[in-house]
Amino acid sequence: MPGPRLDPKITAQWARVRGLLRSEVGDASYRSWLKPLTLVSVIDGTAKIAVPTRFMRDWVVSHYGDRLRELWVGENSSIDVIDIFVQTPTTRPLNRPVEKKADEPSQTGPSASGGEARPEISAPLDPRFTFSNFVVGKPNELAYAAARRVADSDNAPFNPLFLYGGVGLGKTHLMHAIANHTRGKFPERRVVYLSAEKFMFHFIRALRFKDTVAFKEQFRSVDLLMIDDVQFINGKEATQEEFFHTFNDLVDNNRQVVISADKSPSDLEGMEERLRSRLGWGLVADIHATSFELRLGILDVKAERLGIDIPVKVKEFLSHRITSNVRELEGALNRVVAHAELVGREITLETCQEVLHDILRANDRRVTIEEIQKRVSEHFNIRIADMHSARRARAVARPRQVAMYLAKQLTSRSLPEIGRKFGGRDHTTVMHAVKKVEELRQTDSAFCEDVDLLRRMLEG
Ligand code: ADP
Ligand code: MG
């Protein structure tokens, strides 16, 4: 809340800055970190902004400081310094509910209590994220097996289980699956699942309300604690410290801890060394980028669940072209299915390309025909100029065909467009190349491996 002495113009600018930040960072982060900021004064080009704790100040400065300043300057070019300082509230702010003593959160399922009740410590679980809905393939088999073991055991088999991998590859799904399974099998166990951001949010609330003892108690009476996206606990001594102690307590008492992150423990930046090494003590299981086979398998399962027949060609096309992650693949499938239902048409390769036009372009941006030509020439050790030349010797014609094939598979260029990029060839030449490579892939396994290798390299 702006203080009473602020110029209304400044107050309006501040409101806009906050509005912009809110739309950039999302509601949850905004509420945790930005809403509590109080603009105190703007004098001589310095905007003074108060925060309630030192921890929050550090966090806001390191995560939002630069952006805050940019936005302010955009609103008011006379401002050049943003001074974020700690002002401990002497009285409890009026607009906040008075904190009740913890109603012992006995059950940790999605809490239906409305209004201002203390928020449930565990985030709600998604009932669709189960083991049986998880498609297992080479890239995720270790993570899956480890998750199952944890969920089936009555003593913590490895502590912690640390799952890591890129975005959209199933970390959250596996964690919810562990929680769902455990709650079914051992209903008396207290299972808590929450994001690292939420963990910090609870902790900071506790600090603000001088309620840290209750906070610690809440976590220390848990049988299975899962913290998702732990890469967000970084840099901040106080929470790291708290996290470390909570963690040690649980592990010492043989309670299971499961952690996920986008990097391995040793690569977690901004995390204290002792915490990093501690996180790696149990089992570290990584989830690799999806393979073509896994993507195809996932589409099979999802299509079956939707009760929809999808032509194999379409599934293959999607698996080839939407390689970034499973979330996007699912999204694409849902769109294709929804479209077909709405317009009452069958799902074909053509409708699929049409409906997904934007996603395909976005997946494309990473690979250009030029890159394909360069990689393929390097791989077969020919000159890049031979991609465009008229030479028909097998030693250059075959790599050229491979490049055309990959251009068709990995970009959304049309056959004539591809032909043009290969020395102005006709689209029928490209079509012939695609067919030829497909045939060879069936009959020549070494060739097939070569092409797959190139594809993987190009997909990065
Ligand atoms: P992460 O937490 O690693 O970013 P999520 O667990 O949120 O990824 O997964 C993104 C989406 O992809 C979810 O809808 C999830 O169900 C789905 N998904 C990911 N991997 C698989 C898999 N192997 N089998 C089935 N669905 C998967
Ligand atoms: Mg996740």
Side-chain angles (χ1 to χ4, degrees):
M1 310 124 268
R5 285 162 289 107
L6 284 172
D7 179 343
K9 239 174 44 207
I10 296 279
T11 309
Q13 289 167 357
W14 175 228
R16 279 195 295 276
V17 169
R18 300 214 292 180
L20 290 168
L21 265 177
R22 182 187 200 128
S23 62
E24 287 179 15
V25 306
D27 275 347
S29 299
Y30 178 82
R31 270 198 307 277
S32 320
W33 306 111
L34 298 165
K35 195 154 174 260
L37 302 184
T38 306
L39 180 64
V40 176
S41 66
V42 177
I43 298 167
D44 294 335
T46 298
K48 288 180 84 81
I49 296 174
V51 293
T53 65
R54 192 167 66 88
F55 177 88
M56 279 189 87
R57 184 200 56 200
D58 294 347
W59 181 269
V60 169
V61 168
S62 68
H63 286 75
Y64 306 112
D66 290 344
R67 192 62 190 138
L68 203 54
R69 182 163 174 280
E70 276 166 28
L71 290 172
W72 255 116
V73 173
E75 285 293 331
N76 180 340
S77 56
S78 73
I79 290 179
D80 60 0
V81 177
I82 305 285
D83 178 12
I84 300 178
F85 68 103
V86 182
Q87 190 174 55
T88 323
T90 42
T91 53
R92 195 163 279 182
L94 290 175
N95 65 338
R96 283 179 208 291
V98 173
E99 197 75 353
K100 290 188 294 180
K101 267 288 149 242
D103 351 307
E104 197 44 41
S106 50
Q107 247 313 320
T108 46
S111 131
S113 59
E116 292 292 337
R118 183 180 194 124
E120 174 53 70
I121 190 173
S122 177
L125 294 176
D126 189 327
R128 290 167 309 164
F129 288 171
T130 60
F131 286 123
S132 58
N133 282 349
F134 192 81
V135 183
V136 187
K138 253 210 148 41
N140 58 26
E141 63 187 5
L142 174 65
Y144 173 82
R148 275 225 80 116
R149 177 68 61 81
V150 162
D152 278 328
S153 304
D154 44 16
N155 62 341
F158 7 76
N159 224 350
L161 169 60
F162 190 101
L163 300 171
Y164 79 94
V167 66
L169 296 181
K171 301 182 295 292
T172 298
H173 186 137
L174 279 179
M175 290 179 111
H176 284 224
I178 295 173
N180 283 321
H181 188 89
T182 304
R183 283 187 183 166
K185 189 166 172 183
F186 308 103
E188 72 290 356
R189 283 199 198 160
R190 237 191 115 205
V191 177
V192 167
Y193 162 89
L194 78 176
S195 67
E197 264 189 314
K198 265 281 154 53
F199 178 86
M200 287 187 300
F201 172 74
H202 282 298
F203 179 58
I204 286 151
R205 253 173 92 99
L207 276 184
R208 199 182 310 146
F209 294 116
K210 306 202 172 10
D211 204 9
T212 48
V213 176
F215 170 85
K216 288 174 188 171
E217 281 316 305
Q218 279 188 321
F219 280 99
R220 287 174 189 176
S221 59
V222 165
D223 296 300
L224 171 57
L225 175 66
M226 303 201 244
I227 300 195
D228 206 351
D229 287 321
V230 84
Q231 69 271 12
F232 293 123
I233 299 191
N234 55 15
K236 307 299 152 259
E237 287 149 40
T239 6
Q240 285 201 24
E241 188 76 17
E242 192 44 46
F243 180 64
F244 188 70
H245 289 308
T246 305
F247 180 91
N248 279 338
D249 263 21
L250 291 169
V251 171
D252 289 347
N253 288 303
N254 212 22
R255 315 293 175 87
Q256 179 70 52
V257 180
V258 181
I259 306 279
S260 89
D262 64 351
K263 302 182 197 65
S264 75
S266 53
D267 287 337
L268 284 172
E269 290 144 26
M271 188 163 282
E272 266 182 60
E273 177 50 36
R274 62 171 183 164
L275 184 49
R276 259 190 294 173
S277 81
R278 188 73 180 79
L279 289 175
W281 277 12
L283 180 73
V284 177
D286 56 342
I287 307 184
H288 299 275
T290 56
S291 61
F292 174 75
E293 288 71 25
L294 180 59
R295 292 194 291 274
L296 204 56
I298 288 172
L299 288 177
D300 278 339
V301 169
K302 305 259 166 188
E304 202 185 302
R305 290 244 153 79
L306 292 169
I308 309 248
D309 249 344
I310 296 179
V312 176
K313 274 250 174 281
V314 169
K315 284 189 265 194
E316 284 179 352
F317 173 79
L318 291 175
S319 313
H320 272 314
R321 295 292 302 278
I322 303 187
T323 54
S324 44
N325 66 54
V326 182
R327 189 176 294 133
E328 211 178 15
L329 188 66
E330 272 188 329
L333 178 71
N334 289 337
R335 239 161 94 176
V336 171
V337 169
H339 175 84
E341 279 179 359
L342 280 173
V343 302
R345 270 197 285 161
E346 268 178 47
I347 298 173
T348 64
L349 209 51
E350 285 68 40
T351 56
C352 180
Q353 271 167 319
E354 216 177 282
V355 176
L356 300 178
H357 157 92
D358 53 334
I359 299 186
L360 294 172
R361 285 247 168 222
N363 270 269
D364 243 32
R365 235 171 271 133
R366 291 172 312 184
V367 187
T368 61
I369 293 187
E370 287 73 18
E371 277 166 44
I372 294 173
Q373 293 175 328
K374 182 166 170 284
R375 276 297 173 105
V376 174
S377 310
E378 281 166 10
H379 183 80
F380 291 101
N381 208 9
I382 63 170
R383 293 176 312 139
I384 214 170
D386 279 328
M387 288 287 156
H388 313 276
S389 77
R391 289 181 60 202
R392 303 177 69 164
R394 166 79 61 87
V396 296
R398 188 70 82 226
R400 197 188 291 132
Q401 287 177 326
V402 169
M404 288 182 197
Y405 166 85
L406 289 171
K408 182 71 193 129
Q409 296 286 338
L410 300 178
T411 75
S412 60
R413 304 280 158 220
S414 64
L415 294 175
E417 279 177 301
I418 296 174
R420 251 175 269 135
K421 296 259 186 182
F422 284 81
R425 286 178 157 78
D426 192 69
H427 78 276
T428 52
T429 311
V430 182
M431 215 154 71
H432 173 73
V434 171
K435 255 181 80 185
K436 185 77 204 164
V437 171
E438 271 168 2
E439 273 167 33
L440 283 170
R441 278 174 54 99
Q442 302 296 321
T443 53
D444 181 342
S445 64
F447 176 81
C448 184
E449 263 171 37
D450 255 13
V451 174
D452 285 345
L453 177 72
L454 275 165
R455 182 209 300 282
R456 278 201 296 280
M457 268 165 26
L458 284 159
E459 284 171 350

